[in-house]
Amino acid sequence: MLRRGVFYSHRDLNWILDRYEKGTPFALYTGRGPSSGIHIGHMLPWFFTKWIQEKFRAKLYFQITDDEKFLFKDFDNLEDATKVGYDNILDIIAMGFDPNLTSIFLDTEYIHHLYPIAVEVAKRITYSTTQAVFGFQNANNVGEIFYTSIQAAPAFLPTVEAGKEVPVLIPCGIDQDPHFRITRDVAPKLGYPKPALIHNKLLPSLLGPGGKMSASIPESSIFTKDTEVQARKKVMNAFTGGRATVEEQRRLGANPYICSIFRQYEYIFEPDDGHLAVVEQTCKSGERLCGDCKAELWEKVRPWLKAHHAAREKAKDRVEEFVIRD
Amino acid sequence: MLRRGVFYSHRDLNWILDRYEKGTPFALYTGRGPSSGIHIGHMLPWFFTKWIQEKFRAKLYFQITDDEKFLFKDFDNLEDATKVGYDNILDIIAMGFDPNLTSIFLDTEYIHHLYPIAVEVAKRITYSTTQAVFGFQNANNVGEIFYTSIQAAPAFLPTVEAGKEVPVLIPCGIDQDPHFRITRDVAPKLGYPKPALIHNKLLPSLLGPGGKMSASIPESSIFTKDTEVQARKKVMNAFTGGRATVEEQRRLGANPYICSIFRQYEYIFEPDDGHLAVVEQTCKSGERLCGDCKAELWEKVRPWLKAHHAAREKAKDRVEEFVIRD
């Protein structure tokens, strides 16, 4: 993902790695706003986070922002957000994070630890700042306005818990950067290290360019609760860069750079750069047809989805291994 | 205090009492912003609250708003506010509240119970509302803006904990009314009963009219940690409605209505209306001199202060009887 530019931007990653090389471990922090079921777009930073956890043996703090999803109007009842949070946690556990190095928490359940830090942060953020950064207006509710303090808190939690400076790396979608720019601004005023960030691009929709994967458009992505039949249909119907006819495609070649199938390879499902280059080349030359790619990708997605379904089922008995409340 | 108009305003008190007479118990909720040591002005609503607790066997929720006092800049460190909170709790316990009917909590320690309710409340309060009610501006911090949600939460806590509608009565200084007007507006939208309120006037300063009792002016009130010598001096130096000379006072009489000593009688230390009327009359007639009143009041304050000191000392071993965290 690094080589391919899926993670394409960072803040202070060098600093974290330099310190690591000199013997200072870092913690990972990422999160999930539980508005719906999980699709592979959501999982993109989680694959990467898991890889970092394995490589660096880093402790991971995984925040489930049920309060956010209630305050920003995805739900009428807070409990519904919490319930979706627990459903999403099954997917997180199914990713294979190390239970000894992973703490998952819901904001409403772990608030006892978050709130004292959030209040420290909140005191340093004016309404003006949230206006400028998030575009808040007078009609926004006071929970929305306060919320960024809650998202900032886990960036300082490892330091608070350890009683000494613990640098934190946050892998996240680029859309979350505004929260963490504020967090980084506030950090030195509170005597905490600034969290480092590494940002991923958002995985494009299976329906084609311009769209993003979205729970409100089921066809836009493969969801972890899709059946094999549903998932296969989505792959087979996905938008590609192919031509109108086979004849034309053989003659002129296709365009992998707008193809959602090629993106799935590139972003997640094809570890082999050599094969990816072959796909790219043979697509452009017209040698390969879209049906070939779809069938090939499905052969990768199918066992992955099956394994995830099984791991997700097992995760139901493993929630207490991961979730912290006290 | 009711007869004398110390508690002089209410919202929905009749409703609470009517329901009580029909068999529905109510809960009490009051609070303390722990910015400093406790003086008798702070205790005014607590005396009254204790009386209601005794008369109605009402469960009391006592909120210590350490977060507020940090956010609104009384302290640079949150822990300092929490520390003052625990010091103030000794005075609350020393008042003689029934431990079986009293739960004291600090916001930062009980937030796990408050936050889910506060978030529900916050979703229903716009920034505009806090602008209009509290005069917040763009330079206010986002914790200040959110805070009223935290002060609203205990008004709904008895209902949440009981799983059924529990009416709440809030005895408080009139200065706290804006928070609870918002709370009352939001209540029906969330399906909670509106809290009833009963407001007390603020006890005037010992230094005379126009001032209020304030921790930043030690002479303005008797503090619970004053020594006997300090307290006596404050009573003896208090502002009265007396004349420039004894001769003049004998001839023209004095003015009890601007007298801080008379106010202490009226508000707290003289249960006997008959004696109070005598004091008022003989003051105005010039029969009684200010020294008489000061000596008489001191004879009431001295044993009260001594008993409070002793009860405060004992309270140090009783904190866990009252404070809830889980």
Side-chain angles (χ1 to χ4, degrees), chain A residues 67 70 75 115 123 125 142, chain B residues 67 70 75 115 123 125 142:
Chain A
D67 51 351
F70 170 70
F75 295 99
Y115 187 71
K123 193 173 176 177
I125 305 174
V142 299
Chain B
D67 50 351
F70 170 71
F75 294 99
Y115 186 71
K123 192 172 176 178
I125 305 172
V142 298

Side-chain angles (χ1 to χ4, degrees), chain A residues 241-243 245-257 262 275-290 292-293:
Chain A
R243 300 282 173 176
T245 65
V246 171
E247 185 280 322
E248 206 180 320
Q249 189 157 338
R250 291 284 186 211
R251 185 161 46 87
L252 299 169
N255 180 358
Y257 309 117
F262 184 74
H275 184 66
L276 193 68
V278 169
V279 169
E280 187 177 354
Q281 211 38 58
T282 52
C283 167
K284 292 200 290 189
S285 69
E287 205 175 324
R288 165 181 286 260
L289 294 180
C290 295
D292 300 330
C293 274

Side-chain angles (χ1 to χ4, degrees), chain B residues 4-61:
Chain B
R4 296 178 193 168
V6 176
F7 279 81
Y8 72 115
S9 149
H10 75 84
R11 298 182 190 275
D12 274 346
L13 182 61
N14 298 338
W15 171 77
I16 284 266
L17 295 177
D18 288 349
R19 288 192 57 155
Y20 180 82
E21 289 198 338
K22 289 180 190 138
T24 306
F26 62 87
L28 288 160
Y29 158 34
T30 194
R32 161 73 186 149
S35 53
S36 68
I38 298 298
H39 57 60
I40 55 170
H42 298 133
M43 298 169 106
L44 190 60
W46 305 353
F47 286 112
F48 185 74
T49 302
K50 189 188 163 210
W51 177 77
I52 302 182
Q53 178 176 74
E54 284 168 5
K55 291 294 168 191
F56 296 88
R57 306 293 305 152
K59 172 98 204 265
L60 166 62
Y61 292 79

Side-chain angles (χ1 to χ4, degrees), chain A residues 10-16 29 167-171 180 184 193-198:
Chain A
H10 74 85
R11 297 181 189 276
D12 273 346
L13 181 64
N14 298 338
W15 172 77
I16 284 266
Y29 158 35
V168 168
L169 174 63
I170 307 176
F180 299 121
R184 284 172 51 87
K194 287 187 181 190
L197 294 166
I198 181 158

